[in-house]
């Protein structure tokens, strides 16, 4: 893991409401009870997909954000 990805770890515990993500992502996250990215990372994708307010678009935005911040390896 390189230092740039480690320097982005702080993003995992910031409130989702403060992150540069869509309003739709923020609303769905709140409705599902997620307030930080760390909250989401702690749940398996299969379990996420069973939540009432889950959408593939929401999940793809989450994955894309992690990818752009070099944090995608945290999902696996």
């Amino acid at each position: 893991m390189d230092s740039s990805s480690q320097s982005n770890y702080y993003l995992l515990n910031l409130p989702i409401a403060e992150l540069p993500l869509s309003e739709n992502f923020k609303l769905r996250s709140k409705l599902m009870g997620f307030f930080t990215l760390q909250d989401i990372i702690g749940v398996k994708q299969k379990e996420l997909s069973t939540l009432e307010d889950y959408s593939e678009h929401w999940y793809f935005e989450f994955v894309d954000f992690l990818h752009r911040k070099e944090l995608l390896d945290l999902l696996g």
Side-chain angles (χ1 to χ4, degrees):
M1 186 171 305
D2 63 29
S3 61
S4 64
S5 63
Q6 288 180 345
S7 68
N8 286 329
Y9 280 165
Y10 77 97
L11 295 169
L12 301 176
N13 293 308
L14 288 179
I16 289 172
E18 295 179 12
L19 296 173
L21 293 158
S22 72
E23 290 303 315
N24 182 48
F25 183 90
K26 293 174 184 180
L27 176 60
R28 283 186 182 273
S29 295
K30 184 177 179 180
L31 291 172
M32 289 186 282
F34 300 127
F35 299 97
T36 67
L37 297 178
Q38 188 64 52
D39 294 340
I40 301 168
I41 288 171
V43 180
K44 293 181 180 176
Q45 197 279 332
K46 186 174 182 177
E47 294 173 29
L48 286 173
S49 67
T50 66
L51 298 174
E52 184 175 332
D53 291 293
Y54 172 88
S55 78
E56 287 185 354
H57 183 270
W58 173 87
Y59 189 73
F60 291 147
E61 184 172 352
F62 170 62
V63 170
D64 181 61
F65 183 79
L66 292 181
H67 176 71
R68 287 185 284 120
K69 300 303 181 181
E70 299 181 7
L71 297 168
L72 192 57
D73 61 315
L74 296 174
L75 288 184

